[in-house]
Amino acid sequence: MEYQGSCLCKGVTFKVIGNFKSFYLCHCSFCQKDTGSAHAANLFSTSAKLEWIKKETEITTFQLAGSRHQKSFCATCGSALPNLQMGDKLLVVPAGSLDTGLEKRPDAHLFMSSKADWDEALEEIKKFEGFPE
């Protein structure tokens, strides 16, 4: 399988060749801070290959001191980008950075003990196709 991806400003584009082993929605406090939302949605692979197609903007990687928590992002627009972890053995790809459709569904929610207080029964909240009028 081959997946295409990019950041919001399109200054960085990439492709991932191979399959994802797992897809997790992480509710830990670090991922909440990273995303500014209820959780991060990350794909993981120990066999897929990451290839940078275009890097017109700088890619910055932040490693939280005293933890294994790491995030790569476009220095121009701030969009989350893939990175290699655990001595380049684990590819982590933010699901929202993919431009190619993804058939794989999340495997699990992680760190539910840290989830946001307001992260309850969100499927029951009113839904709109765009901004409410």
Side-chain angles (χ1 to χ4, degrees), residues 65-110:
S67 78
R68 294 187 315 182
H69 189 79
Q70 181 176 311
K71 178 183 180 176
S72 293
F73 55 94
C74 173
T76 300
C77 67
S79 297
L81 292 168
N83 63 62
L84 291 166
Q85 299 181 18
M86 298 175 57
D88 294 346
K89 292 179 183 155
L90 178 67
L91 174 61
V92 181
V93 179
S97 70
L98 294 178
D99 298 324
T100 305
L102 180 67
E103 291 184 21
K104 185 168 182 52
R105 303 279 299 154
D107 295 306
H109 289 270
L110 305 178

Side-chain angles (χ1 to χ4, degrees), residues 40-59:
N42 289 311
L43 297 148
F44 298 85
S45 180
T46 55
S47 60
K49 302 299 178 207
L50 172 64
E51 185 178 319
W52 298 108
I53 305 300
K54 180 172 73 170
K55 293 199 298 188
E56 290 179 356
T57 61
E58 186 177 329
I59 298 170

Side-chain angles (χ1 to χ4, degrees), residues 20-37:
F20 296 110
K21 181 179 179 182
S22 53
F23 183 3
Y24 294 126
L25 305 178
C26 182
H27 295 260
C28 79
S29 60
F30 299 154
C31 286
Q32 287 178 48
K33 290 286 185 187
D34 271 354
T35 64
S37 189

